[in-house]
């Protein structure tokens, strides 16, 4: 009886793989290669989306999943980004399931000429982490393309280590794998630099709440600035 149960389970597994292989669009993927069929799926489309059941489980934002909503245009001094205090915490994205991923793309907050430094780690259990990008000694602005050897991951941790303007790391958009077509229009050509004018009110540092309810001074401005972007 036990052998029959095992044989039945093996047949069902094989049928499932065959079904996914022939109808990948049902599962949100454009293709499945051999590596996917023997282990984890290698996605082609961005799986770090709200529709794909991904979520931000650590980080501060006015909207819990602003990092994953796909909006790369509507952000300013007050909203449209996710952040964390340098030296404390991180921004952590949880995917719906483990995937084999080999690329990530970020949009760092770029409404002025500041630069950031950071590193990125991936994990399947939040216990053992593998670093896939170390840009702690690099001045980074605007769009960031990270390519690395494929790693199994269901958690991605972004840790800011430096900001030339203040003590908070701000990220507007996250995707994996990298989707070239989603790049913000007319922004990357100028290295992501925006315009800002002096004289406006500063965002109340207690206005933003972390997903767990804790407060953090999260505004990108280190001095009083206008929230308007040109």
């Amino acid at each position: 009886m036990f052998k029959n149960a095992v044989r039945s389970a093996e047949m069902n597994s094989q049928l499932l793989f065959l079904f996914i292989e022939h109808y990948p669009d049902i599962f949100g993927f454009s293709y499945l290669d051999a590596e996917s069929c023997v282990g984890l799926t290698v996605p082609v489309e961005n799986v770090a989306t709200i529709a794909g059941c991904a979520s931000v489980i650590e980080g501060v934002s006015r909207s819990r999943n602003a990092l994953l909503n796909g909006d790369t245009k509507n952000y300013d001094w007050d909203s449209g980004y996710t952040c964390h205090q340098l030296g404390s915490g991180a921004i952590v994205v949880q995917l719906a399931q483990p995937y084999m991923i080999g690329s990530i793309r970020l949009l760092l907050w770029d409404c002025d000429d500041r630069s950031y430094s950071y590193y990125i780690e991936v994990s399947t259990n939040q216990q053992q982490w593998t670093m896939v990008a170390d840009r702690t000694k690099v001045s980074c602005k605007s769009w960031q393309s990270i390519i690395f050897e494929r790693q199994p991951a269901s958690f991605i941790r972004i840790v800011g280590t430096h900001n030339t303007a203040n003590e908070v790391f701000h990220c507007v958009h996250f995707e994996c794998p990298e989707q070239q077509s989603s790049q913000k229009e007319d922004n990357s050509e100028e290295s992501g630099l925006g315009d800002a004018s002096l004289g406006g009110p500063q965002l109340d540092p207690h206005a933003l709440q972390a997903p767990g309810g804790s407060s953090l001074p999260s505004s990108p401005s280190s001095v009083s600035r206008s929230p308007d972007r040109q």
Side-chain angles (χ1 to χ4, degrees), residues 42-122:
V42 181
V44 174
E45 303 299 326
N46 179 21
V47 294
T49 64
I50 299 170
C53 297
S55 62
V56 179
I57 61 173
E58 187 175 344
V60 180
S61 178
R62 285 188 181 277
S63 174
R64 182 183 179 97
N65 291 312
L67 191 68
L68 310 178
N69 65 10
D71 189 350
T72 60
K73 298 179 181 179
N74 299 306
Y75 59 96
D76 54 27
W77 297 92
D78 291 349
S79 62
Y81 55 83
T82 302
C83 59
H84 79 87
Q85 189 80 36
L86 298 183
S88 176
I91 297 172
V92 180
V93 175
Q94 181 176 4
L95 304 178
Q97 66 182 61
Y99 294 98
M100 288 294 293
I101 61 172
S103 67
I104 289 170
R105 197 161 67 130
L106 311 174
L107 174 57
L108 302 180
W109 193 89
D110 58 358
C111 294
D112 62 11
D113 62 351
R114 76 185 60 197
S115 63
Y116 297 92
S117 299
Y118 64 93
Y119 64 89
I120 299 177
E121 299 174 313
V122 299

Side-chain angles (χ1 to χ4, degrees), residues 33-192:
D33 60 14
E35 185 174 16
S36 304
C37 292
V38 299
L40 300 180
T41 299
V42 181
V44 174
E45 303 299 326
N46 179 21
V47 294
T49 64
I50 299 170
C53 297
S55 62
V56 179
I57 61 173
E58 187 175 344
V60 180
S61 178
R62 285 188 181 277
S63 174
R64 182 183 179 97
N65 291 312
L67 191 68
L68 310 178
N69 65 10
D71 189 350
T72 60
K73 298 179 181 179
N74 299 306
Y75 59 96
D76 54 27
W77 297 92
D78 291 349
S79 62
Y81 55 83
T82 302
C83 59
H84 79 87
Q85 189 80 36
L86 298 183
S88 176
I91 297 172
V92 180
V93 175
Q94 181 176 4
L95 304 178
Q97 66 182 61
Y99 294 98
M100 288 294 293
I101 61 172
S103 67
I104 289 170
R105 197 161 67 130
L106 311 174
L107 174 57
L108 302 180
W109 193 89
D110 58 358
C111 294
D112 62 11
D113 62 351
R114 76 185 60 197
S115 63
Y116 297 92
S117 299
Y118 64 93
Y119 64 89
I120 299 177
E121 299 174 313
V122 299
S123 175
T124 57
N125 57 15
Q126 289 190 286
Q127 301 298 319
Q128 290 81 36
W129 293 88
T130 300
M131 184 179 293
V132 295
D134 183 358
R135 299 189 177 177
T136 56
K137 298 181 180 179
V138 181
S139 295
C140 304
K141 298 181 180 181
S142 196
W143 286 101
Q144 302 290 298
S145 177
I146 298 100
I147 308 296
F148 50 91
E149 184 178 352
R150 281 179 183 167
Q151 300 287 334
S154 47
F155 301 91
I156 300 97
R157 181 164 65 187
I158 309 163
V159 182
T161 59
H162 185 64
N163 177 352
T164 55
N166 57 35
E167 295 301 313
V168 182
F169 179 83
H170 309 89
C171 189
V172 173
H173 173 75
F174 173 90
E175 64 188 43
C176 74
E178 179 178 24
Q179 306 291 296
Q180 291 291 341
S181 61
S182 67
Q183 192 158 2
K184 190 171 67 171
E185 294 177 2
D186 300 326
N187 203 37
S188 60
E189 294 179 1
E190 302 296 331
S191 300

